[in-house]
Amino acid sequence: GIGVLYAAALATHPRPEFPSQWMMVMSALAVTALIVGTFASKVRQDADTLNFQALHDSLTGLANRALFLNRVDCALRRAEGREEQVAVLFLDIDDFKMVNDSLGHPTGDQLLTAFARSLDSLTRDGDILARLGGDEFAVLLESGPMPQTAEDVAVRIAKMLDTPFQLGDTEVTVGVSIGISVAPRSQGTCEGLLRESDLAMYLAKQNGKGRFETILPG
C-alpha cells in the first residue's frame, strides 16, 4: 500500500533535497510493487492450473481416477453410521475400439467428449462423475435409497443412448455396459467398492452388453 511505499522511500532517501526525488522514488517503488504483484498472481494462477490438470481428465475436463478415488474415500467416511449408502457406477462404452478403428481417433475423442457431456447432464448436484481412462467412466452416488437410485441412473443412461451422437457429419450410436456396487453400511473401502463395480461391469459385458449388473454388499 501507500504506507509501505512511503516507508520504503524514507529508507531509500532519508533526507531528500527536492520533491522530485520523492516522485522518482515513489514511482520506481510503485512500478516494482506492480511487477512483484503481477508475478505473484501469475505464480498462483499457474499453481491452480497445474493442480486442476493433476486432478482432471485433459480431454473431457471430468475428474480423473485420482480425484475420483479421493471422493469415494471421503464419501465412505461420511457414510459411517448413516442410513444412506454409497454406490459407484462403473461404465464402459461397448465396442469403442470399433469406433476408433473405423472412424479414426479424432472421432473417437469427439465421442468421448460428447458422452461425457451427456452423462454430466444426467447427474444430480453432489454426484461425482469421472473419466477413469480410455472409454471407462464412473459415477459416485451418496444420496438416495440404494440400489434403486443407482439403477435408476443406469436406466436413464441407457435411455439417453437411444439418441445417436452427432459427430460432425457422422451419426454414431453406442451402448454402454454398467457395473453397480453398493458399499456396506460399515467397513466399506474405496478399493473394494471400485473392484466390485468393475466386476459387475464385466458381468454386464458377458451377459450381452448394453445393460447393467449390480453387486450388493455381502
Side-chain angles (χ1 to χ4, degrees):
I2 297 299
V4 175
L5 294 178
Y6 183 74
L10 281 177
T12 307
H13 290 274
R15 293 183 179 88
E17 298 179 3
F18 305 102
S20 60
Q21 288 182 329
W22 282 108
M23 296 298 294
M24 292 176 63
V25 171
M26 293 290 284
S27 297
L29 289 172
V31 170
T32 301
L34 177 62
I35 293 173
V36 171
T38 301
F39 177 75
S41 176
K42 179 66 164 58
V43 169
R44 287 193 299 271
Q45 290 175 2
D46 288 347
D48 290 343
T49 299
L50 288 173
N51 185 57
F52 182 89
Q53 291 173 346
L55 296 174
H56 293 80
D57 172 55
S58 59
L59 178 64
T60 63
L62 299 180
N64 63 13
R65 179 181 288 270
L67 180 56
F68 187 75
L69 292 176
N70 174 268
R71 293 292 186 263
V72 172
D73 191 53
C74 292
L76 289 172
R77 288 201 298 269
R78 284 192 294 269
E80 285 288 340
R82 286 170 37 190
E83 282 299 314
E84 291 187 331
Q85 292 172 279
V86 174
V88 165
L89 286 79
F90 194 110
L91 300 84
D92 186 271
I93 299 175
D94 295 328
D95 303 314
F96 179 74
K97 186 177 183 300
M98 186 182 302
V99 174
N100 256 352
D101 291 346
S102 61
L103 299 177
H105 288 282
T107 301
D109 285 349
Q110 290 178 37
L111 174 59
L112 292 173
T113 303
F115 183 73
R117 285 198 302 266
S118 296
L119 281 181
D120 189 49
S121 70
L122 295 179
T123 56
R124 309 163 300 171
D125 290 342
D127 297 341
I128 303 297
L129 173 61
R131 182 187 177 207
L132 303 182
D135 63 330
E136 294 179 341
F137 294 78
V139 184
L140 167 65
L141 308 175
E142 54 176 321
S143 64
M146 300 299 174
Q148 294 94 330
T149 299
E151 292 178 348
D152 287 346
V153 172
V155 170
R156 291 202 304 271
I157 292 171
K159 185 172 180 59
M160 174 263 291
L161 294 176
D162 287 341
T163 302
F165 291 102
Q166 188 67 45
L167 308 176
D169 297 330
T170 305
E171 279 192 351
V172 177
T173 301
V174 295
V176 65
S177 296
I178 303 173
I180 298 171
S181 61
V182 178
R185 295 189 184 279
S186 63
Q187 305 302 316
T189 66
C190 176
E191 294 78 9
L193 194 58
L194 265 291
R195 183 173 59 251
E196 290 190 341
S197 65
D198 190 17
L199 174 60
M201 183 274 293
Y202 276 105
L203 290 175
K205 292 278 190 190
Q206 292 175 358
N207 290 332
K209 301 180 181 179
R211 54 180 295 132
F212 68 84
E213 296 288 344
T214 304
I215 293 181
L216 298 175

